[in-house]
Amino acid sequence: MSTPTARLLNLLSVMQTGGTWAAAALSERLGASDRTLRRDVDRLRELGYRITTVMGPDGGYRLEPGAVLPPLLLDDEQAVALSAALQTASGSGSALSEASARALATVRQVLPSRLRHRVDQLTVDAIPRSGDRPPPTVDPSTLAVVGAAAHDREVLRFDYAGRDGPARRVEPHGLVAQAGRWFLAAWDLDKDDWRIFRVDRMQPRLPTRLPFIPRDVPGGDVSTFVSARLKGSEHIDAWPCTGSVVLDSPAAEIAPFVGDGTVEELGARRCRLTAGSWSWSALAASMGRFDVPIESAEPTELAHAFSVLAERFSQAAAG
């Protein structure tokens, strides 16, 4: 049987997922009687959590957002996950590093000593990929405004750095963080087409309070759409140019460096690398970086790109 504290944490965790929970469903979920459930609900109310009793056949209990932060109740896994998330926020490309550190310090103060010790044991450093430039700084207030407009389905007006003319008017559909940069996927009302915008270049205007009806995002969701556009694809999340080569190297020595490519073992010292890029020349150049013999380039566009690069490199060597 679970302890009262563990049961209370479990109840709070379930109710924080939102919606109205029937008493019978909660009792079954917690493995507790109706009387025990009522007592646990009363304990949470005493701690400051606003739990409403909903009457009727579809009634039950609902956790309302509170104006004051009650004592923080986390289980071990939640505490570790929160600590890791706050420590890695510095790699998100926003000006959240300092705020994340302060948030972690605040959370740490209200944790029980046992959980505080577990959090202190976890140290995480966000290291950018080799060769990556530091991500641009994004103002947290800009993130909040843009995110709120997307959540509330309201038209967003903003100035965009590097673009002259009137403010942009878009229907924001969602934020995506990729490779340390923040992007907004939106329907551009002036261009009458889908666009992605870098949030670090956006300066929101006053809220419009103009609602819009969400559209079907290309690719099915915001993340897929942004990923596809960043790869140079208009419709699907795939590189415009995809090909394969056979490398004279064990697959284990190639696999850690191929990104979203795939490696197939062909023998003791041979493997097939399949990868993609925005152009055939870029793909050929990326496949040549392993400093091993290459053969069987497919398709013909990739083989031709190797020929073009070979000629350029020969000219550079001769020069």
Side-chain angles (χ1 to χ4, degrees), residues 68-161:
V68 179
L69 181 66
L72 189 61
L73 298 179
L74 297 174
D75 59 29
D76 288 30
E77 292 182 351
Q78 290 174 324
V80 172
L82 180 60
S83 174
L86 289 173
Q87 290 186 58
T88 55
S90 59
S92 65
S94 66
L96 297 176
S97 301
E98 181 182 350
S100 298
R102 288 188 285 107
L104 182 59
T106 301
V107 169
R108 183 184 178 280
Q109 291 176 356
V110 296
L111 287 175
S113 59
R114 179 181 59 82
L115 286 183
R116 189 160 57 242
H117 177 66
R118 290 208 64 183
V119 167
D120 291 343
Q121 288 180 320
L122 178 65
T123 301
V124 181
D125 290 320
I127 302 176
R129 293 179 302 177
S130 178
D132 280 1
R133 291 179 297 176
T137 299
V138 177
D139 187 345
S141 62
T142 299
L143 272 179
V145 171
V146 175
H151 178 270
D152 297 337
R153 302 305 188 193
E154 292 183 353
V155 173
L156 178 68
R157 294 178 69 245
F158 59 91
D159 297 316
Y160 201 58

Coordinates of all heavy atoms in Angstrom, one line a residue, residues 68-161:
V68 N -1.7 31.9 -6.1 CA -0.5 31.8 -5.2 C 0.1 30.4 -5.4 O -0.6 29.4 -5.4 CB -0.8 32.1 -3.7 CG1 0.4 31.9 -2.9 CG2 -1.5 33.4 -3.6
L69 N 1.5 30.3 -5.5 CA 2.1 29.1 -5.6 C 2.1 28.3 -4.3 O 2.7 28.8 -3.3 CB 3.6 29.2 -6.1 CG 4.4 28.0 -6.3 CD1 3.8 27.2 -7.5 CD2 5.8 28.3 -6.5
P70 N 1.4 27.2 -4.2 CA 1.4 26.4 -3.0 C 2.8 25.7 -2.8 O 3.6 25.8 -3.7 CB 0.3 25.4 -3.2 CG -0.4 25.8 -4.5 CD 0.6 26.6 -5.3
P71 N 2.9 25.0 -1.7 CA 4.2 24.3 -1.5 C 4.4 23.3 -2.6 O 3.4 22.6 -3.1 CB 3.9 23.5 -0.1 CG 3.0 24.4 0.6 CD 2.1 25.0 -0.5
L72 N 5.6 23.2 -3.1 CA 5.9 22.4 -4.3 C 6.0 20.9 -3.9 O 6.8 20.5 -3.1 CB 7.2 22.9 -5.0 CG 7.5 22.3 -6.3 CD1 6.4 22.7 -7.3 CD2 8.8 22.8 -6.8
L73 N 5.2 20.1 -4.6 CA 5.2 18.7 -4.3 C 5.6 18.0 -5.6 O 4.9 18.0 -6.6 CB 3.8 18.2 -3.9 CG 3.2 18.8 -2.6 CD1 1.8 18.2 -2.4 CD2 4.1 18.5 -1.5
L74 N 6.8 17.3 -5.5 CA 7.3 16.6 -6.7 C 7.8 15.2 -6.2 O 8.3 15.1 -5.1 CB 8.5 17.3 -7.3 CG 8.3 18.7 -7.9 CD1 9.6 19.4 -8.3 CD2 7.3 18.7 -9.1
D75 N 7.6 14.2 -7.1 CA 8.2 13.0 -6.8 C 9.7 13.0 -7.3 O 10.1 13.9 -7.9 CB 7.4 11.8 -7.4 CG 7.3 11.9 -8.9 OD1 8.2 12.4 -9.5 OD2 6.3 11.3 -9.4
D76 N 10.4 11.9 -7.1 CA 11.8 11.9 -7.4 C 12.1 12.1 -8.9 O 12.9 12.9 -9.3 CB 12.4 10.5 -7.0 CG 12.6 10.4 -5.5 OD1 11.8 11.0 -4.8 OD2 13.5 9.7 -5.0
E77 N 11.3 11.4 -9.7 CA 11.5 11.5 -11.2 C 11.2 12.9 -11.6 O 11.9 13.5 -12.5 CB 10.6 10.5 -11.9 CG 11.1 9.1 -11.7 CD 10.2 8.1 -12.5 OE1 9.2 8.5 -13.0 OE2 10.6 6.9 -12.5
Q78 N 10.1 13.6 -11.1 CA 9.8 14.9 -11.5 C 10.8 15.9 -11.1 O 11.2 16.8 -11.9 CB 8.4 15.3 -10.9 CG 7.2 14.6 -11.5 CD 5.9 14.9 -10.7 OE1 6.0 15.1 -9.5 NE2 4.8 15.0 -11.4
A79 N 11.4 15.7 -9.9 CA 12.5 16.6 -9.5 C 13.7 16.6 -10.4 O 14.3 17.6 -10.7 CB 12.8 16.3 -8.0
V80 N 14.1 15.4 -10.7 CA 15.3 15.2 -11.6 C 15.0 15.7 -13.0 O 15.8 16.4 -13.6 CB 15.7 13.7 -11.6 CG1 16.8 13.5 -12.7 CG2 16.2 13.2 -10.3
A81 N 13.8 15.5 -13.5 CA 13.5 16.0 -14.8 C 13.4 17.5 -14.9 O 13.9 18.1 -15.8 CB 12.1 15.4 -15.3
L82 N 12.9 18.1 -13.8 CA 12.8 19.6 -13.8 C 14.2 20.2 -13.7 O 14.5 21.2 -14.4 CB 12.0 20.0 -12.6 CG 11.8 21.5 -12.4 CD1 11.1 22.1 -13.6 CD2 11.0 21.8 -11.1
S83 N 15.0 19.6 -12.9 CA 16.4 20.1 -12.8 C 17.2 20.0 -14.1 O 17.8 20.9 -14.5 CB 17.2 19.3 -11.7 OG 18.5 19.6 -11.6
A84 N 17.0 18.8 -14.8 CA 17.7 18.7 -16.0 C 17.2 19.7 -17.1 O 18.0 20.3 -17.8 CB 17.5 17.3 -16.6
A85 N 15.9 19.9 -17.1 CA 15.3 20.8 -18.1 C 15.7 22.2 -17.8 O 16.1 22.9 -18.8 CB 13.8 20.7 -18.0
L86 N 15.8 22.7 -16.6 CA 16.2 24.0 -16.3 C 17.7 24.2 -16.6 O 18.1 25.3 -17.0 CB 15.9 24.4 -14.8 CG 14.4 24.5 -14.5 CD1 14.2 24.7 -13.0 CD2 13.8 25.7 -15.2
Q87 N 18.5 23.2 -16.3 CA 19.9 23.4 -16.6 C 20.3 23.4 -18.1 O 21.2 24.0 -18.5 CB 20.7 22.2 -15.9 CG 20.7 22.3 -14.4 CD 21.6 21.3 -13.8 OE1 22.8 21.2 -14.0 NE2 21.0 20.4 -12.9
T88 N 19.5 22.7 -18.9 CA 19.7 22.7 -20.3 C 19.0 23.8 -21.0 O 19.2 24.0 -22.3 CB 19.3 21.3 -20.9 OG1 17.9 21.1 -20.6 CG2 20.1 20.2 -20.4
A89 N 18.3 24.6 -20.3 CA 17.6 25.7 -21.0 C 18.5 26.7 -21.6 O 18.2 27.5 -22.5 CB 16.6 26.5 -20.0
S90 N 19.8 26.8 -21.2 CA 20.8 27.7 -21.7 C 21.1 27.4 -23.2 O 21.6 28.2 -23.9 CB 22.1 27.6 -20.9 OG 22.6 26.3 -20.9
G91 N 20.8 26.2 -23.6 CA 21.0 25.8 -25.0 C 19.8 26.0 -25.9 O 19.8 25.6 -27.0
S92 N 18.8 26.7 -25.4 CA 17.6 26.9 -26.1 C 17.6 28.1 -27.1 O 16.7 28.3 -27.8 CB 16.4 27.1 -25.2 OG 16.5 28.3 -24.4
G93 N 18.7 28.9 -27.0 CA 18.8 30.1 -27.8 C 18.0 31.3 -27.4 O 17.8 32.2 -28.2
S94 N 17.6 31.3 -26.2 CA 16.9 32.5 -25.7 C 17.6 33.1 -24.5 O 18.6 32.5 -24.0 CB 15.5 32.1 -25.2 OG 15.5 31.3 -24.1
A95 N 17.1 34.2 -24.0 CA 17.8 34.8 -22.9 C 17.2 34.3 -21.6 O 16.9 35.0 -20.6 CB 17.5 36.4 -22.9
L96 N 17.0 32.9 -21.6 CA 16.5 32.3 -20.4 C 17.5 31.7 -19.5 O 17.1 31.1 -18.5 CB 15.5 31.2 -20.9 CG 14.3 31.6 -21.7 CD1 13.6 30.4 -22.2 CD2 13.4 32.5 -20.9
S97 N 18.8 31.8 -19.8 CA 19.8 31.1 -19.0 C 19.7 31.6 -17.6 O 19.7 30.8 -16.6 CB 21.2 31.3 -19.6 OG 21.2 30.8 -20.9
E98 N 19.8 32.9 -17.4 CA 19.8 33.5 -16.1 C 18.5 33.2 -15.3 O 18.5 32.8 -14.2 CB 20.1 35.0 -16.1 CG 20.1 35.6 -14.7 CD 20.3 37.2 -14.8 OE1 20.6 37.7 -15.9 OE2 20.2 37.8 -13.8
A99 N 17.4 33.4 -16.1 CA 16.1 33.1 -15.5 C 15.9 31.7 -15.1 O 15.4 31.3 -14.0 CB 15.0 33.5 -16.4
S100 N 16.5 30.7 -15.9 CA 16.4 29.3 -15.6 C 17.2 29.0 -14.3 O 16.8 28.2 -13.5 CB 16.9 28.5 -16.7 OG 16.2 28.7 -17.9
A101 N 18.4 29.6 -14.2 CA 19.2 29.4 -13.0 C 18.5 29.9 -11.7 O 18.5 29.3 -10.7 CB 20.5 30.1 -13.1
R102 N 17.8 31.1 -11.9 CA 17.1 31.6 -10.7 C 15.9 30.7 -10.4 O 15.5 30.5 -9.2 CB 16.6 33.0 -11.0 CG 17.8 34.0 -11.0 CD 17.3 35.5 -11.0 NE 16.9 35.8 -12.4 CZ 15.6 36.0 -12.8 NH1 14.7 35.9 -11.9 NH2 15.4 36.4 -14.0
A103 N 15.2 30.2 -11.4 CA 14.1 29.3 -11.2 C 14.5 28.0 -10.5 O 13.8 27.5 -9.6 CB 13.4 29.0 -12.6
L104 N 15.6 27.5 -10.9 CA 16.1 26.3 -10.3 C 16.5 26.5 -8.8 O 16.2 25.7 -7.9 CB 17.4 25.7 -11.0 CG 18.0 24.4 -10.5 CD1 17.0 23.3 -10.5 CD2 19.2 24.1 -11.3
A105 N 17.1 27.7 -8.5 CA 17.4 28.0 -7.2 C 16.1 28.2 -6.3 O 16.0 27.7 -5.2 CB 18.2 29.3 -7.1
T106 N 15.0 28.7 -6.9 CA 13.8 28.9 -6.2 C 13.1 27.5 -6.0 O 12.6 27.3 -4.8 CB 12.8 29.8 -7.1 OG1 13.4 31.0 -7.3 CG2 11.5 29.9 -6.3
V107 N 13.1 26.7 -7.0 CA 12.6 25.3 -6.8 C 13.3 24.6 -5.7 O 12.7 23.9 -4.9 CB 12.6 24.6 -8.2 CG1 12.3 23.1 -8.0 CG2 11.6 25.2 -9.2
R108 N 14.6 24.7 -5.8 CA 15.5 24.0 -4.8 C 15.1 24.4 -3.4 O 15.1 23.5 -2.5 CB 16.9 24.3 -5.1 CG 17.9 23.5 -4.2 CD 19.3 23.9 -4.5 NE 20.3 23.2 -3.6 CZ 20.5 23.6 -2.3 NH1 19.9 24.6 -1.8 NH2 21.4 22.9 -1.6
Q109 N 14.8 25.6 -3.1 CA 14.5 26.1 -1.8 C 13.2 25.4 -1.2 O 13.1 25.3 0.0 CB 14.3 27.6 -1.8 CG 15.6 28.3 -2.0 CD 15.4 29.8 -2.1 OE1 14.3 30.3 -2.0 NE2 16.5 30.6 -2.2
V110 N 12.3 25.1 -2.1 CA 11.0 24.6 -1.5 C 10.9 23.0 -1.6 O 9.9 22.5 -1.4 CB 9.8 25.2 -2.3 CG1 9.7 26.7 -2.0 CG2 9.9 24.9 -3.8
L111 N 12.0 22.4 -2.0 CA 12.0 20.9 -2.1 C 12.4 20.4 -0.7 O 13.2 21.0 0.0 CB 13.0 20.5 -3.1 CG 12.7 20.6 -4.6 CD1 13.8 20.2 -5.5 CD2 11.4 19.8 -5.0
P112 N 11.9 19.2 -0.4 CA 12.4 18.5 0.8 C 13.9 18.2 0.7 O 14.4 18.1 -0.4 CB 11.6 17.2 0.8 CG 10.4 17.5 -0.1 CD 10.8 18.4 -1.1
S113 N 14.5 18.1 1.8 CA 16.0 17.9 1.8 C 16.4 16.7 1.0 O 17.5 16.8 0.3 CB 16.5 17.8 3.2 OG 15.9 16.7 3.9
R114 N 15.7 15.6 1.0 CA 16.0 14.4 0.3 C 16.0 14.7 -1.2 O 17.0 14.3 -1.9 CB 15.1 13.3 0.6 CG 15.4 12.0 -0.2 CD 14.4 10.9 0.2 NE 13.0 11.4 -0.1 CZ 12.5 11.3 -1.3 NH1 13.2 10.8 -2.3 NH2 11.2 11.7 -1.6
L115 N 15.0 15.4 -1.7 CA 14.9 15.7 -3.2 C 15.9 16.8 -3.5 O 16.5 16.8 -4.6 CB 13.5 16.2 -3.5 CG 12.5 15.1 -3.6 CD1 11.1 15.7 -4.0 CD2 12.9 14.0 -4.6
R116 N 16.2 17.7 -2.6 CA 17.2 18.8 -2.8 C 18.6 18.1 -3.0 O 19.3 18.6 -3.9 CB 17.2 19.8 -1.7 CG 18.0 21.0 -1.9 CD 17.6 22.1 -1.0 NE 17.7 21.7 0.4 CZ 16.7 21.7 1.2 NH1 15.5 22.0 0.8 NH2 16.9 21.3 2.5
H117 N 18.8 17.1 -2.3 CA 20.1 16.4 -2.4 C 20.2 15.7 -3.8 O 21.2 15.8 -4.5 CB 20.3 15.4 -1.3 CG 21.5 14.5 -1.4 ND1 22.8 15.1 -1.3 CD2 21.7 13.2 -1.7 CE1 23.7 14.2 -1.4 NE2 23.1 13.0 -1.7
R118 N 19.1 15.2 -4.3 CA 19.1 14.5 -5.6 C 19.3 15.5 -6.7 O 20.0 15.3 -7.7 CB 17.8 13.7 -5.8 CG 17.6 12.5 -5.0 CD 16.8 11.5 -5.7 NE 17.3 11.0 -6.9 CZ 16.8 10.1 -7.7 NH1 15.5 9.7 -7.4 NH2 17.4 9.7 -8.8
V119 N 18.7 16.7 -6.6 CA 18.8 17.7 -7.6 C 20.3 18.3 -7.6 O 20.8 18.5 -8.7 CB 17.8 18.9 -7.3 CG1 18.2 20.1 -8.1 CG2 16.4 18.5 -7.6
D120 N 20.9 18.4 -6.4 CA 22.2 18.9 -6.3 C 23.2 17.9 -7.0 O 24.3 18.3 -7.4 CB 22.6 19.2 -4.9 CG 21.9 20.3 -4.3 OD1 21.3 21.1 -5.1 OD2 21.9 20.5 -3.0
Q121 N 22.9 16.6 -7.0 CA 23.8 15.6 -7.5 C 23.8 15.7 -9.1 O 24.7 15.1 -9.7 CB 23.4 14.2 -7.1 CG 23.7 13.9 -5.6 CD 23.3 12.5 -5.2 OE1 22.2 12.1 -5.6 NE2 24.1 11.9 -4.5
L122 N 22.8 16.3 -9.7 CA 22.6 16.3 -11.1 C 23.2 17.6 -11.7 O 22.7 18.7 -11.4 CB 21.2 16.1 -11.5 CG 20.9 16.2 -13.0 CD1 21.5 15.0 -13.7 CD2 19.4 16.2 -13.3
T123 N 24.3 17.5 -12.4 CA 24.9 18.6 -13.1 C 24.9 18.4 -14.6 O 25.4 17.4 -15.1 CB 26.3 18.9 -12.6 OG1 26.3 19.1 -11.2 CG2 26.9 20.1 -13.3
V124 N 24.3 19.3 -15.3 CA 24.1 19.2 -16.8 C 24.7 20.4 -17.5 O 24.4 21.5 -17.1 CB 22.7 19.0 -17.2 CG1 22.5 18.8 -18.7 CG2 22.0 17.8 -16.5
D125 N 25.6 20.2 -18.5 CA 26.1 21.3 -19.3 C 25.6 21.1 -20.7 O 25.7 20.0 -21.3 CB 27.6 21.3 -19.3 CG 28.2 21.7 -17.9 OD1 27.6 22.6 -17.3 OD2 29.2 21.1 -17.5
A126 N 25.0 22.2 -21.3 CA 24.5 22.1 -22.7 C 25.7 22.5 -23.6 O 26.1 23.7 -23.5 CB 23.3 23.0 -22.9
I127 N 26.2 21.6 -24.4 CA 27.3 21.8 -25.2 C 26.8 21.9 -26.7 O 26.2 20.9 -27.2 CB 28.4 20.7 -25.1 CG1 28.9 20.6 -23.6 CG2 29.5 21.0 -26.0 CD1 29.8 19.5 -23.4
P128 N 27.1 23.0 -27.4 CA 26.7 23.1 -28.8 C 27.4 22.1 -29.7 O 28.5 21.7 -29.3 CB 26.9 24.5 -29.2 CG 28.0 24.9 -28.2 CD 27.8 24.2 -27.0
R129 N 26.9 21.8 -30.8 CA 27.6 20.9 -31.7 C 28.8 21.6 -32.3 O 28.9 22.8 -32.4 CB 26.6 20.5 -32.9 CG 25.5 19.7 -32.5 CD 24.6 19.4 -33.7 NE 24.1 20.6 -34.3 CZ 23.4 20.6 -35.4 NH1 23.0 19.5 -36.0 NH2 23.0 21.8 -35.9
S130 N 29.8 20.8 -32.6 CA 31.1 21.3 -33.1 C 30.9 22.1 -34.3 O 30.2 21.7 -35.3 CB 32.1 20.2 -33.3 OG 33.3 20.7 -33.9
G131 N 31.4 23.3 -34.3 CA 31.3 24.2 -35.5 C 30.1 25.1 -35.5 O 29.9 26.0 -36.3
D132 N 29.1 24.9 -34.6 CA 27.9 25.7 -34.5 C 28.3 27.0 -33.9 O 29.0 27.2 -33.0 CB 26.8 25.0 -33.7 CG 26.1 23.9 -34.4 OD1 26.4 23.7 -35.6 OD2 25.2 23.3 -33.8
R133 N 27.7 28.1 -34.5 CA 27.8 29.4 -33.9 C 26.8 29.5 -32.8 O 25.8 28.8 -32.7 CB 27.5 30.5 -35.0 CG 28.5 30.6 -36.1 CD 28.1 31.6 -37.1 NE 26.8 31.3 -37.8 CZ 26.2 32.0 -38.6 NH1 26.7 33.2 -38.9 NH2 25.1 31.6 -39.2
P134 N 27.1 30.4 -31.8 CA 26.2 30.6 -30.7 C 24.8 31.0 -31.2 O 24.7 31.8 -32.1 CB 26.9 31.7 -29.8 CG 28.3 31.6 -30.2 CD 28.4 31.2 -31.7
P135 N 23.8 30.4 -30.7 CA 22.4 30.8 -31.2 C 22.1 32.2 -30.8 O 22.6 32.8 -29.8 CB 21.5 29.8 -30.4 CG 22.3 29.4 -29.2 CD 23.7 29.4 -29.6
P136 N 21.3 32.9 -31.6 CA 20.9 34.3 -31.3 C 20.1 34.3 -30.1 O 19.4 33.4 -29.7 CB 20.1 34.7 -32.6 CG 19.6 33.4 -33.1 CD 20.6 32.3 -32.8
T137 N 20.2 35.5 -29.4 CA 19.4 35.7 -28.2 C 18.0 36.1 -28.5 O 17.7 36.9 -29.4 CB 20.1 36.8 -27.4 OG1 21.4 36.5 -27.0 CG2 19.3 37.1 -26.1
V138 N 17.1 35.4 -27.8 CA 15.6 35.7 -27.9 C 15.1 36.2 -26.6 O 15.4 35.7 -25.5 CB 14.9 34.4 -28.3 CG1 13.4 34.7 -28.3 CG2 15.3 33.9 -29.6
D139 N 14.4 37.4 -26.7 CA 13.9 38.0 -25.5 C 12.8 37.1 -24.9 O 11.8 36.8 -25.7 CB 13.3 39.4 -25.9 CG 12.9 40.2 -24.6 OD1 12.7 39.6 -23.6 OD2 12.7 41.4 -24.8
P140 N 12.8 36.7 -23.6 CA 11.7 35.9 -23.1 C 10.4 36.6 -23.2 O 9.4 35.9 -23.4 CB 12.1 35.8 -21.6 CG 13.6 36.0 -21.6 CD 13.9 37.0 -22.7
S141 N 10.3 37.9 -23.1 CA 9.0 38.6 -23.2 C 8.4 38.4 -24.7 O 7.2 38.3 -24.8 CB 9.1 40.0 -22.9 OG 10.0 40.7 -23.8
T142 N 9.3 38.4 -25.7 CA 8.9 38.2 -27.0 C 8.4 36.7 -27.2 O 7.3 36.5 -27.8 CB 10.0 38.4 -28.0 OG1 10.5 39.7 -27.9 CG2 9.6 38.1 -29.5
L143 N 9.1 35.8 -26.6 CA 8.6 34.4 -26.6 C 7.2 34.3 -26.0 O 6.3 33.6 -26.5 CB 9.6 33.5 -25.9 CG 10.7 32.9 -26.6 CD1 11.6 32.0 -25.7 CD2 10.2 32.0 -27.8
A144 N 7.0 35.0 -24.9 CA 5.7 34.9 -24.2 C 4.6 35.5 -25.0 O 3.5 34.9 -25.1 CB 5.8 35.6 -22.8
V145 N 4.9 36.6 -25.7 CA 3.8 37.3 -26.5 C 3.5 36.4 -27.7 O 2.3 36.2 -28.0 CB 4.3 38.7 -26.9 CG1 3.3 39.3 -28.0 CG2 4.4 39.6 -25.7
V146 N 4.5 35.9 -28.4 CA 4.3 35.1 -29.6 C 3.6 33.8 -29.2 O 2.6 33.4 -29.9 CB 5.6 34.8 -30.3 CG1 5.4 33.9 -31.5 CG2 6.2 36.1 -30.8
G147 N 4.1 33.2 -28.1 CA 3.4 32.0 -27.7 C 2.0 32.1 -27.3 O 1.1 31.3 -27.6
A148 N 1.7 33.3 -26.6 CA 0.3 33.5 -26.2 C -0.6 33.7 -27.4 O -1.7 33.3 -27.4 CB 0.3 34.8 -25.3
A149 N -0.1 34.5 -28.4 CA -0.9 34.7 -29.6 C -1.2 33.4 -30.3 O -2.3 33.1 -30.8 CB -0.2 35.6 -30.6
A150 N -0.2 32.5 -30.4 CA -0.4 31.2 -31.0 C -1.4 30.3 -30.2 O -2.3 29.7 -30.7 CB 0.9 30.4 -31.1
H151 N -1.3 30.4 -28.9 CA -2.2 29.6 -28.0 C -3.6 30.1 -28.1 O -4.6 29.3 -28.1 CB -1.7 29.6 -26.6 CG -2.6 28.9 -25.6 ND1 -3.6 29.5 -24.9 CD2 -2.5 27.6 -25.1 CE1 -4.2 28.7 -24.1 NE2 -3.6 27.5 -24.2
D152 N -3.8 31.4 -28.1 CA -5.1 32.1 -28.1 C -5.7 32.2 -29.4 O -6.8 32.7 -29.6 CB -5.0 33.4 -27.4 CG -4.6 33.4 -25.9 OD1 -4.8 32.3 -25.3 OD2 -4.1 34.4 -25.4
R153 N -4.9 31.8 -30.5 CA -5.4 31.9 -31.9 C -5.8 33.3 -32.2 O -6.9 33.6 -32.6 CB -6.6 31.0 -32.1 CG -6.3 29.5 -31.8 CD -5.1 29.0 -32.6 NE -4.9 27.6 -32.5 CZ -3.8 26.9 -32.8 NH1 -2.8 27.6 -33.3 NH2 -3.7 25.6 -32.7
E154 N -4.8 34.3 -32.0 CA -5.1 35.7 -32.3 C -4.0 36.1 -33.3 O -2.9 35.8 -33.2 CB -5.0 36.5 -31.0 CG -6.1 36.3 -30.1 CD -6.0 37.2 -28.9 OE1 -5.0 38.0 -28.8 OE2 -6.9 37.3 -28.0
V155 N -4.5 37.0 -34.3 CA -3.6 37.5 -35.3 C -2.5 38.3 -34.6 O -2.7 39.1 -33.6 CB -4.3 38.5 -36.2 CG1 -3.4 39.2 -37.2 CG2 -5.4 37.6 -37.0
L156 N -1.2 38.1 -35.1 CA -0.1 38.7 -34.5 C 0.5 39.8 -35.4 O 0.7 39.5 -36.6 CB 1.0 37.7 -34.1 CG 2.3 38.1 -33.5 CD1 2.1 38.7 -32.1 CD2 3.3 37.0 -33.5
R157 N 0.8 41.0 -34.9 CA 1.5 42.0 -35.7 C 2.9 42.2 -35.1 O 3.0 42.3 -33.9 CB 0.7 43.3 -35.7 CG -0.6 43.2 -36.4 CD -1.4 44.6 -36.3 NE -0.7 45.6 -37.1 CZ -0.2 46.7 -36.6 NH1 -0.2 46.9 -35.3 NH2 0.4 47.6 -37.4
F158 N 3.9 42.3 -36.0 CA 5.2 42.5 -35.5 C 6.1 43.1 -36.6 O 5.9 43.0 -37.8 CB 5.8 41.2 -35.0 CG 5.9 40.1 -36.1 CD1 7.0 40.0 -36.9 CD2 4.8 39.3 -36.3 CE1 7.1 39.0 -37.9 CE2 4.9 38.3 -37.3 CZ 6.0 38.2 -38.1
D159 N 7.2 43.8 -36.1 CA 8.2 44.3 -37.0 C 9.3 43.2 -37.1 O 9.5 42.5 -36.1 CB 8.8 45.5 -36.4 CG 7.8 46.7 -36.4 OD1 7.1 46.9 -37.3 OD2 7.8 47.4 -35.3
Y160 N 9.8 43.1 -38.3 CA 10.8 42.0 -38.5 C 12.1 42.6 -39.0 O 12.2 43.3 -39.9 CB 10.3 41.0 -39.6 CG 10.9 39.7 -39.6 CD1 10.8 38.9 -38.5 CD2 11.5 39.2 -40.7 CE1 11.3 37.6 -38.5 CE2 12.1 37.9 -40.7 CZ 12.0 37.1 -39.6 OH 12.5 35.8 -39.6
A161 N 13.2 42.3 -38.2 CA 14.5 42.9 -38.4 C 15.0 42.5 -39.8 O 14.9 41.4 -40.3 CB 15.5 42.4 -37.4

